[in-house]
Amino acid sequence: MSKKLLLKDAHIEGIRYFETYRKQGGYTAAEKALKMTPEEILEEVKTSGLRGRGGAGFPTGMKWSFLAKPEGVPRHLVVNADESEPGTFKDRYLMEYLPHLLIEGMLISSFVLGSNVSYIYIRGEYSWIPDILEEAIEEAKAAGFLGKNILGTGFDCEIYVQRGGGAYICGEETALLESLEGKRGNPRLKPPFPAVKGLWERPTVVNNVESIAAIVPIIDITGAEYAKIGVGRSTGTKLISACGNINKPGVYEIDMTITVEEFIYSDEYCGGIANGKKLKACIPGGSSVPIVPANLLLRTVNGEPRYMNYESLADGGFATGTMMGSGGFIVLDEDQCIVEHTMTLARFYHHESCGQCTPCREGTGWMHKILKKIEKGEGKMEDIDLLWDIQRKIEGNTICPLGDAAAWPVAAAIRHFRDEFEWHVKNPELSQTQNYGLANY
Ligand code: SF4
């Protein structure tokens, strides 16, 4: 059984409220941290090996140490709660059931970074969660854990919740900052990075909800103890939101030493494939990461078991591996059609492109059009090569990672499931009435 650090109290009734959270030991990490110096806390975070839980997996302590500290210029912590990656809903769970864990993590992080005004930027579709967060903020303030002179330390901290308008691109940190400033959420060219010029051109750290929540157990048990959980550079625990054709969709906390096979088939987690079907493929880290067929998902090319951690999932690179990404684990059974699935994703990325750069603006739409054609049985063999060519011209040629996110699913689908694309071209009539999976299994 995986060790629980973040969700250990999630089952307790009323844990959403300050009184219950406090009774379970809530805010003791904050009390401990505020007796330390910011430098000491930063060392703990670095020692813990915590990697950003939003998708990129960049070491959090290192990110914090990049924050510029010009004299007299305010600094900010911004929590990225714009969780819009298809298949990903673990931050929603944390905010809905354990809002004080996030607030406590923000208090400690704000203290380290010297942020007297911190923000939570939350996606517009999570319409019921800002009220939960604002209530938690008020409770923390009434108990003296936010506001002026917190616990007599002289440190002041206010937290504000900002609702997004529902654009996927605002999950990209610089687009988020633009939106938070009241502008259209267009990603900025980097450098300068937010650590130097972020919100209102002030030094800013943008971190994912889960990353900030993880600061609480790190302070609680120490960075060294946190680093002992997990394996290699995949330290601590990770939240995974599992969905698709499985028996038990939901949010799970894993310690990154379990195999992918165990995660899918064990009753503790996904409980196996629904309706007794066979596993066909999986996107283990949110829709932007490469899809992998069952054989490469469960084993690496060397025949080793694949594990639920950053290194093992990426083993083999983009040719045979995938990525941990945001932890949105999407399982597909044998009845699913990869072409249809890829077309749906292409439509999503085209719709969400902000339109600033040509490869993304034009390429995503073009890919969607071709995929639609192939899926309907109206494609030609050369369309598959054209699709391959377009995704290659998008990757690495755009301002922000949305371009790559749109290109990778298409590349992986063609690489691993080219036969399905060809089936649609060779069977135009069948393609109009059936999907590949149903017609072939
Ligand atoms: Fe906008 Fe796409 Fe360019 Fe990102 S890659 S800046 S979403 S056009």
Side-chain angles (χ1 to χ4, degrees):
M1 178 173 285
S2 284
K3 191 174 176 63
K4 301 266 183 292
L5 294 178
L6 300 177
L7 302 186
K8 67 181 169 55
D9 295 329
H11 62 285
I12 295 173
E13 205 184 328
I15 195 71
R16 175 194 288 184
Y17 303 106
F18 180 84
E19 204 185 327
T20 315
Y21 182 75
R22 185 80 171 131
K23 266 192 205 143
Q24 295 302 318
Y27 287 98
T28 49
E31 287 171 323
K32 184 178 169 185
L34 265 59
K35 286 183 191 135
M36 298 162 71
T37 63
E39 293 72 24
E40 284 169 338
I41 304 172
L42 178 58
E43 272 316 303
E44 289 296 325
V45 176
K46 281 186 179 168
T47 305
S48 74
L50 175 69
R51 293 167 70 174
R53 303 302 199 217
F58 192 80
T60 304
M62 198 185 292
K63 189 173 191 176
W64 287 6
S65 62
F66 291 154
L67 186 71
K69 295 180 178 159
E71 198 62 38
V73 181
R75 305 186 282 273
H76 296 289
L77 166 70
V78 177
V79 169
N80 185 346
D82 193 73
E83 187 181 46
S84 312
E85 182 80 357
T88 313
F89 46 91
K90 43 106 187 164
D91 292 340
R92 181 187 80 193
Y93 188 89
L94 269 181
M95 292 187 285
E96 189 168 355
Y97 296 100
L98 294 156
H100 280 288
L101 189 66
L102 174 61
I103 305 301
E104 186 177 2
M106 283 184 76
L107 166 59
I108 301 169
S109 310
S110 299
F111 179 65
V112 178
L113 301 168
S115 167
N116 300 117
V117 182
S118 300
Y119 297 88
I120 303 170
Y121 183 95
I122 184 163
R123 68 178 294 204
E125 291 88 341
Y126 286 174
S127 56
W128 69 102
I129 296 183
D131 288 347
I132 296 172
L133 292 170
E134 275 163 358
E135 187 178 5
I137 290 167
E138 284 311 310
E139 285 184 319
K141 209 167 171 178
F145 286 101
L146 286 177
K148 297 257 174 241
N149 190 23
I150 298 165
L151 304 181
T153 56
F155 177 63
D156 305 337
C157 184
E158 298 288 348
I159 296 178
Y160 296 102
V161 181
Q162 176 63 46
R163 294 158 167 86
Y168 171 76
I169 194 56
C170 289
E172 194 282 331
E173 60 177 6
T174 59
L176 184 156
L177 295 175
E178 287 284 298
S179 175
L180 195 50
E181 289 178 6
K183 297 178 234 161
R184 184 188 159 109
N186 279 353
R188 298 173 183 169
L189 273 171
K190 292 190 266 191
F193 291 93
V196 178
K197 272 191 180 182
L199 190 62
W200 298 299
E201 303 208 341
R202 298 166 178 173
T204 304
V205 163
V206 183
N207 271 140
N208 170 259
V209 170
E210 185 188 344
S211 313
I212 293 297
I215 300 301
V216 176
I218 289 171
I219 296 303
D220 230 358
I221 64 173
T222 74
E225 286 302 310
Y226 186 89
K228 286 182 191 162
I229 304 165
V231 60
R233 288 179 58 235
S234 297
T235 61
T237 61
K238 174 84 190 82
L239 295 186
I240 305 288
S241 56
C243 61
N245 307 118
I246 47 174
N247 285 316
K248 290 172 59 193
V251 176
Y252 298 101
E253 184 168 13
I254 61 161
D255 70 10
M256 295 196 269
T257 58
I258 61 168
T259 62
V260 176
E261 192 160 4
E262 189 182 346
F263 184 68
I264 294 177
Y265 291 102
S266 140
D267 277 342
E268 192 186 340
Y269 305 108
C270 302
I273 308 301
N275 305 315
K277 296 279 177 182
K278 281 196 205 124
L279 171 68
K280 178 175 188 173
C282 178
I283 304 172
S287 64
S288 305
V289 311
I291 189 169
V292 270
N295 59 331
L296 285 174
L297 174 72
L298 303 180
R299 308 237 150 224
T300 65
V301 272
N302 299 325
E304 303 286 328
R306 214 182 267 281
Y307 290 89
M308 292 286 290
N309 63 52
Y310 292 94
E311 287 73 31
S312 186
L313 283 169
D315 189 274
F318 286 161
T320 56
T322 178
M323 287 160 83
M324 179 69 119
S326 59
F329 198 85
I330 309 169
V331 178
L332 279 73
D333 73 16
E334 58 191 316
D335 288 349
Q336 307 310 313
C337 173
I338 301 298
V339 177
E340 186 184 5
H341 177 81
T342 312
M343 180 194 71
T344 307
L345 286 182
R347 184 178 59 208
F348 171 78
Y349 289 112
H350 175 50
H351 179 72
E352 297 297 341
S353 167
C354 82
Q356 279 193 105
C357 19
T358 310
C360 173
R361 184 187 62 239
E362 301 301 325
T364 52
W366 201 4
M367 289 196 301
H368 175 226
K369 226 184 249 179
I370 296 169
L371 279 159
K372 210 158 91 178
K373 208 166 110 183
I374 297 174
E375 202 273 333
K376 275 167 71 187
E378 295 166 4
K380 300 189 188 105
M381 282 299 173
E382 48 268 38
D383 286 331
I384 305 172
D385 298 324
L386 180 59
L387 206 49
W388 180 263
D389 198 41
I390 298 168
Q391 66 79 21
R392 286 201 61 191
K393 291 197 164 81
I394 297 174
E395 188 192 0
N397 293 316
T398 55
I399 294 173
C400 91
L402 189 143
D404 294 345
W408 292 342
V410 174
I414 298 176
R415 181 180 293 124
H416 297 303
F417 298 96
R418 192 178 174 106
D419 54 334
E420 295 202 20
F421 287 81
E422 291 182 359
W423 179 87
H424 279 274
V425 173
K426 288 179 197 159
N427 298 282
E429 278 159 27
L430 258 183
S431 308
Q432 285 167 16
T433 52
Q434 295 238 35
N435 81 18
Y436 176 88
L438 290 169
N440 288 279
Y441 287 96

